[in-house]
mmCIF file of all heavy atoms in Angstrom:
data_model
loop_
_atom_site.group_PDB
_atom_site.id
_atom_site.type_symbol
_atom_site.label_atom_id
_atom_site.label_comp_id
_atom_site.label_asym_id
_atom_site.label_seq_id
_atom_site.Cartn_x
_atom_site.Cartn_y
_atom_site.Cartn_z
ATOM 1 N N MET B 57 94.721 99.295 124.291
ATOM 2 C CA MET B 57 93.571 98.439 123.880
ATOM 3 C C MET B 57 94.039 97.263 123.129
ATOM 4 O O MET B 57 93.569 96.049 123.325
ATOM 5 C CB MET B 57 92.542 99.156 123.103
ATOM 6 C CG MET B 57 91.908 100.373 123.735
ATOM 7 S SD MET B 57 91.045 99.901 125.226
ATOM 8 C CE MET B 57 91.972 100.900 126.466
ATOM 9 N N GLY B 62 95.271 91.409 122.486
ATOM 10 C CA GLY B 62 96.220 90.390 122.160
ATOM 11 C C GLY B 62 96.234 89.271 123.265
ATOM 12 O O GLY B 62 96.431 88.105 122.939
ATOM 13 N N MET B 319 88.184 94.043 91.134
ATOM 14 C CA MET B 319 89.443 93.323 91.192
ATOM 15 C C MET B 319 90.485 93.857 90.217
ATOM 16 O O MET B 319 91.676 94.025 90.599
ATOM 17 C CB MET B 319 89.346 91.796 91.027
ATOM 18 C CG MET B 319 90.673 91.111 91.111
ATOM 19 S SD MET B 319 90.682 89.365 90.640
ATOM 20 C CE MET B 319 90.359 89.409 88.918
ATOM 21 N N PRO B 328 101.397 101.508 91.266
ATOM 22 C CA PRO B 328 102.129 102.593 91.915
ATOM 23 C C PRO B 328 102.923 102.150 93.189
ATOM 24 O O PRO B 328 103.999 102.680 93.364
ATOM 25 C CB PRO B 328 100.949 103.627 92.396
ATOM 26 C CG PRO B 328 99.734 102.783 92.225
ATOM 27 C CD PRO B 328 99.907 101.798 91.155
#
Side-chain angles (χ1 to χ4, degrees):
Chain B
M57 297 303 117
M319 176 184 74

